[in-house]
Amino acid sequence: MSEDLAALESLLGYRFARRELLATALRHRSSVLDPGENNETLEFLGDAVIQLVVSERLFRAWPQADEGSLSRRRAALVNARSLAEKAVQLGLGDLLMLGRGEEKTGGRGKRSILAGAFEAVMGAIFLDGGFASAHDTCERIFAGDV
């Protein structure tokens, strides 16, 4: 698993000082009994980071655009489908820790689980390296989309 996490860090362009945060980001709630040991709170945090970084990027790209236009563009970039695609590009599905039920029902390919894992990874980067690290990583990942 350590080699897999190192490969993920390489794809992200970010090396964790506290790799346990990355491991938690990949731990779906179905795989643990204790709610504090899964990726849901990191998912919450990562969602906010992604929204902010993409919003800033759109604002810089279209400084004269109105709020509605920018909101529609952000919604097109930050949604379950697009975040799941980012997760697939990073190979997160193969790294997820899932419970037996999710494993049996194809959880590794479920859009909501993949999107949540991507958000959790961004939240983990934020906690590990601060906003600048999360910003830079998110910018790289979304660079071709804006």
Side-chain angles (χ1 to χ4, degrees), residues 53-121:
V53 172
V54 171
S55 294
E56 178 200 18
R57 188 158 176 74
L58 291 169
F59 180 82
R60 283 188 283 119
W62 290 283
Q64 303 304 319
D66 62 61
E67 178 186 5
S69 173
L70 292 172
S71 292
R72 284 187 296 279
R73 288 174 194 250
R74 183 182 61 207
L77 293 172
V78 183
N79 58 60
R81 180 191 49 77
S82 67
L83 297 182
E85 288 173 6
K86 301 290 183 199
V88 168
Q89 291 167 5
L90 293 169
L92 296 185
D94 294 334
L95 300 175
L96 287 170
M97 289 171 266
L98 300 173
R100 255 186 262 148
E102 282 298 344
E103 195 71 66
K104 286 182 180 179
T105 60
R108 294 185 187 284
K110 287 183 181 175
R111 183 183 292 176
S112 62
I113 291 175
L114 288 167
F118 179 78
E119 290 171 335
V121 168

